[in-house]
Amino acid sequence: LRMAEKNHFKCLLITIMANALYYNAPITLQVLHKHGMLQEMFSVWFQLLYKADAKGNRTLFSRAPEKKICAMGLTSLLQLPAEALPLDLQAGMTQVLSGAMTLLVDLKKVEDAEKEERDGDDDDEEAEEDGDADEEDDDDLDDETAIPEALANMKAKELHFPGAGGRFGNDSDDDDWDEYDDAESAIDAIDPYIGFCETITSIQHNDPARFQVLTAGFEIQQQSVYHSLLQLAEQKRQEQLAEAAKEAQQQAQVVGQMAPPPLPPLQ
């Protein structure tokens, strides 16, 4: 982290550290503390987290997977009892809570924008399919000329691979890597909103004094964000329950269809 010059590379390193915090926060903190990187890592993390442009939009940790794992890493810190936290970090847990809330709010905005974009793409695809159906009768392409033209186009086209004279060689756009955003991950099935709110609710019930310390400095806007996240988590929890009930019903129907017919009564 100390050797990193580019902010995007620092964000990559911090995202890796957030992964480590999520999977094993105590050991990760021990390693950071042992190497004298604890304060520095969190200082850089929160400095980059709140970096924004003139319009107030976050300029770093901009992708949904980055926001999600960072929020989950900070939530894992909140799950630790106070006595398990290094002294350097105990005084900054209010900032950890605020950072997790900020990431979740930003994550919801990104998810909503991506959903709106997907819905728009679906509409465009339907319109294209309708247009293609209307033009099918008018397209009478001669195969003898089409194949040589296609081969010529393939020969003239420059092959491009991200990382080979692309992203790292010529400062290409991030669009080259958009396809990797769809890669599956072990945390895809985990809901960060539910995890965060369950953590805070647990602290409130089991350690009211600590909860009071964490939330005592909340301004009106932060209180509103906190309650909005609670409502969102409850909504997602109900959606999960409804989906689970639907799947159970479908499985029951499949099992019922596979069951052998009842035996005829004995004469």
Side-chain angles (χ1 to χ4, degrees):
L1 188 62
R2 292 171 180 171
M3 298 174 62
E5 297 180 358
K6 301 288 187 179
N7 282 339
H8 287 286
F9 186 53
K10 293 179 182 179
C11 290
L12 174 61
L13 294 175
I14 290 171
T15 303
I16 294 173
M17 198 61 60
N19 269 283
L21 286 170
Y22 170 68
Y23 283 105
N24 198 320
I27 291 181
T28 303
L29 292 177
Q30 290 176 13
V31 173
L32 289 172
H33 184 70
K34 178 180 178 180
H35 293 279
M37 288 293 298
L38 188 63
Q39 282 188 328
E40 182 175 352
M41 198 274 288
F42 281 97
S43 176
V44 174
W45 190 348
F46 287 105
Q47 178 185 356
L48 299 178
L49 173 60
Y50 294 103
K51 215 170 182 55
D53 57 21
K55 296 182 179 180
N57 299 318
R58 312 288 181 203
T59 56
L60 300 171
F61 300 107
S62 57
R63 299 176 185 270
E66 298 169 340
K67 295 181 185 296
K68 180 176 181 177
I69 190 57
C70 284
M72 292 170 63
L74 294 180
T75 299
S76 295
L77 288 178
L78 293 168
Q79 292 172 354
L80 295 177
E83 58 271 16
L85 297 170
L87 294 176
D88 297 343
L89 191 57
Q90 288 183 14
M93 291 306 293
T94 300
Q95 190 176 5
V96 170
L97 174 59
S98 297
M101 290 169 55
T102 298
L103 285 162
L104 291 173
V105 170
D106 290 348
L107 175 61
K108 185 64 169 62
K109 292 178 181 178
V110 173
E111 290 175 342
D112 290 344
E114 290 178 349
K115 182 178 184 301
E116 184 177 350
E117 183 178 355
R118 287 194 301 270
D119 293 342
D121 290 341
D122 292 341
D123 294 339
D124 292 340
E125 289 178 2
E126 290 179 2
E128 289 179 3
E129 290 175 358
D130 293 341
D132 292 341
D134 294 337
E135 295 176 2
E136 279 182 358
D137 295 337
D138 299 332
D139 292 337
D140 187 13
L141 185 62
D142 187 356
D143 291 341
E144 294 182 359
T145 58
I147 294 176
E149 287 178 1
L151 292 173
N153 290 335
M154 291 176 61
K155 184 177 180 180
K157 185 177 180 180
E158 179 184 0
L159 296 178
H160 176 72
F161 296 94
R167 180 177 177 87
F168 298 106
N170 298 325
D171 293 333
S172 66
D173 294 333
D174 288 341
D175 293 341
D176 293 334
W177 292 85
D178 285 347
E179 60 184 291
Y180 297 102
D181 289 345
D182 296 331
E184 294 184 357
S185 169
I187 66 171
D188 287 347
I190 300 174
D191 191 294
Y193 308 101
I194 295 177
F196 170 80
C197 291
E198 286 181 346
T199 298
I200 300 303
T201 302
S202 176
I203 295 174
Q204 184 177 11
H205 291 163
N206 300 323
D207 195 348
R210 185 185 179 202
F211 177 81
Q212 182 64 27
V213 171
L214 288 172
T215 59
F218 273 7
E219 299 177 354
I220 296 178
Q221 183 178 3
Q222 289 176 304
Q223 292 177 359
S224 176
V225 168
Y226 171 69
H227 290 295
S228 296
L229 288 174
L230 290 179
Q231 294 175 359
L232 177 60
E234 181 59 27
Q235 174 187 338
K236 288 183 170 292
R237 186 182 293 107
Q238 294 300 324
E239 291 174 354
Q240 287 184 355
L241 292 174
E243 184 66 23
K246 181 179 179 181
E247 291 180 359
Q249 183 179 8
Q250 291 175 345
Q251 291 178 357
Q253 291 176 350
V254 171
V255 171
Q257 293 173 356
M258 295 175 61
L263 297 174
L266 297 175
Q267 297 296 332

